[in-house]
Amino acid sequence: MKRIVSLILVLFLLAAPAARAEGPALSVAAPSAILMEKETGEVLFEKNADEPGFPASVTKIMTMLLIVEAMENGAFTPDDVVVASERAASFGGSCVYLEAGERMSVRDMLKCIAVVSANDCAVAMAEYMCGSEEAFVKKMNERAKALGLAHTHFSNCSGLFDDGQHYTTARDVAIMSRELIRHESIKAYTTIWMDSIRDGEFELSNTNKLVYWYPGCTGLKTGYTSTARYCLSATAERNGVEYIAVVMHGETPESRNKDAETLLSYGFANYRLIPLSDGRPLPVLPVELGRKRTVPLCLDGPAYRLAPKGGEPDYSLSLPSSVPAPLKKGQPLGTLRVTVGGEPVAEVPVCAAEDVPRIGFGGIFAKLALSLVGV
């Protein structure tokens, strides 16, 4: 009887799915962190990534995103001039000491926000774009909702104040960071180590020290208050792969930076992007009783997938010999399977690239007649 029970237990364990690991065994001191790859959005590591908290100046990732999107949509140019209001000039904390009535280009305003986390410039840009910071913050929250940031709410554009209604999570910061670095133009600002404004009279030094010493660092934004502690969204790119490491509420700037470096280095050391296509054109597929004899094919889904390093990808196409009409564009017709080292990486739907209507009764009759006479 014991042998039977033991055998059943063994079979049960073999059939049961393996427990899903929460992430690699990395030493991350911060209470909340996440590592995300930009192209795919895949998460490689997370620790309390959905725990809401005050983000301090990491808030300005959303501020910069709205500025860059508006600029690229033609609302204004980098050379347009912003006039600082008395309210903008009154802001302290990290700032460049704007004076009421001071004129500064959008380019320099954005540079100050990205490099030294200037609260006064963030407010000046919010007022320039929307008339008031309150109206700008409304747009911040609308954009957060559009990005699906379920645990984020903004009450200001700088991250200087915590009123209990200003919060986000490591995961949401990673998502908004991913959206920001899709705009390559922002990296002209976030990768600056040292610069100046006011004709060289006021020097700027990046608050994100990884820009100086971490290979491939592309930004992105630091944050600190006594409430939020030390926060950072760090991005880096090597060999066409870019990672986002978000560290929230670290105890010291050194531990925050070390956590970000640990996460980024783990991604670069262990993973790579592989294309979900071998580059060869897909075949056309014969169509039965269609107004066209064949249908072109296309792949549905992302162009790349993140996979462990080692081995070359192998591609296997599974398609029927023919398909019956009617067909709709985007209709799945087969599968492209991708493996690396024999391990499955992805299954990509192969779909109809265009509509193919079915021939009518007259067309079917004519087709049958032609087949009878051997044509």
Side-chain angles (χ1 to χ4, degrees):
M1 184 66 179
K2 289 182 178 179
R3 290 183 178 179
I4 295 174
V5 173
S6 298
L7 179 60
I8 292 173
L9 180 60
V10 169
L11 291 174
F12 173 78
L13 291 173
L14 289 174
R20 185 175 180 179
E22 293 184 357
L26 296 177
S27 177
V28 175
S32 178
I34 195 168
L35 176 65
M36 179 182 289
E37 192 277 320
K38 183 190 85 169
E39 182 71 27
T40 63
E42 187 171 345
V43 173
L44 297 176
F45 173 88
E46 61 182 272
K47 177 183 178 183
N48 300 323
D50 296 312
E51 186 70 29
F54 181 52
S57 283
V58 169
T59 295
K60 296 185 180 82
I61 292 171
M62 181 60 78
T63 302
M64 291 190 290
L65 176 60
L66 294 188
I67 294 170
V68 171
E69 287 179 338
M71 192 158 52
E72 291 185 354
N73 287 334
F76 48 83
T77 74
D79 294 321
D80 285 354
V81 174
V82 179
V83 180
S85 69
E86 288 189 9
R87 183 173 183 273
S90 71
F91 273 73
S94 299
C95 63
V96 294
Y97 308 102
L98 289 175
E99 294 183 2
E102 182 174 357
R103 298 165 63 86
M104 186 177 289
S105 69
V106 168
R107 178 183 290 103
D108 280 353
M109 287 277 183
L110 184 52
K111 179 166 62 176
C112 292
I113 296 169
V115 177
V116 296
S117 197
N119 296 316
D120 45 2
C121 291
V123 175
M125 283 302 305
E127 293 174 342
Y128 173 72
M129 290 174 60
C130 298
S132 69
E133 184 181 8
E134 291 76 16
F136 185 84
V137 170
K138 183 180 178 181
K139 287 188 176 294
M140 292 173 71
N141 286 314
E142 289 171 353
R143 193 69 180 94
K145 185 177 180 180
L147 288 172
L149 308 186
H151 304 291
T152 293
H153 186 269
F154 299 108
S155 60
N156 61 80
C157 68
S158 65
L160 182 60
F161 305 112
D162 178 15
D163 58 2
Q165 298 300 311
H166 190 97
Y167 55 84
T168 188
T169 67
R171 189 185 311 279
D172 285 1
V173 170
I175 294 170
M176 67 179 89
S177 298
R178 182 187 180 207
E179 194 68 19
L180 179 57
I181 61 176
R182 289 178 187 274
H183 301 272
E184 287 292 322
S185 61
I186 194 61
K187 295 176 185 177
Y189 302 91
T190 59
T191 58
I192 293 171
W193 172 236
M194 297 189 75
D195 207 326
S196 64
I197 55 172
R198 301 181 180 121
D199 296 323
E201 292 181 3
F202 192 94
E203 294 186 351
L204 308 174
S205 179
N206 205 315
T207 59
N208 179 11
K209 305 311 177 188
L210 273 68
V211 168
Y212 177 69
W213 58 262
Y214 189 80
C217 185
T218 55
L220 190 62
K221 191 69 198 72
T222 61
Y224 169 79
T225 66
S226 58
T227 303
R229 305 303 294 161
Y230 295 92
C231 304
L232 171 64
S233 178
T235 56
E237 182 176 8
R238 298 179 194 171
N239 301 317
V241 185
E242 191 163 10
Y243 291 103
I244 304 154
V246 179
V247 177
M248 302 294 284
H249 321 306
E251 281 301 309
T252 67
E254 292 79 15
S255 67
R256 173 192 68 184
N257 293 344
K258 182 180 178 182
D259 283 345
E261 180 187 5
T262 296
L263 291 170
L264 292 170
S265 296
Y266 171 81
F268 287 124
N270 292 282
Y271 291 88
R272 61 173 176 160
L273 280 177
I274 62 168
L276 296 186
S277 169
D278 59 4
R280 292 179 294 181
L282 293 170
V284 294
L285 199 57
V287 179
E288 299 172 4
L289 302 179
R291 291 187 182 176
K292 296 180 180 179
R293 293 185 176 182
T294 61
V295 61
L297 302 175
C298 63
L299 297 175
D300 181 28
Y304 294 89
R305 178 65 60 84
L306 203 62
K309 287 187 173 180
E312 292 302 316
D314 183 62
Y315 303 88
S316 174
L317 190 61
S318 177
L319 290 170
S321 57
S322 63
V323 289
L327 297 172
K328 291 291 185 181
K329 183 178 180 179
Q331 180 177 332
L333 301 176
T335 304
L336 176 67
R337 292 180 176 84
V338 186
T339 60
V340 175
E343 295 296 323
V345 171
E347 288 193 358
V348 187
V350 180
C351 303
E354 60 186 34
D355 292 342
V356 179
R358 185 181 174 89
I359 59 175
F361 178 78
I364 295 175
F365 181 80
K367 191 175 184 71
L368 178 60
L370 290 172
S371 66
L372 289 176
V373 298
V375 177

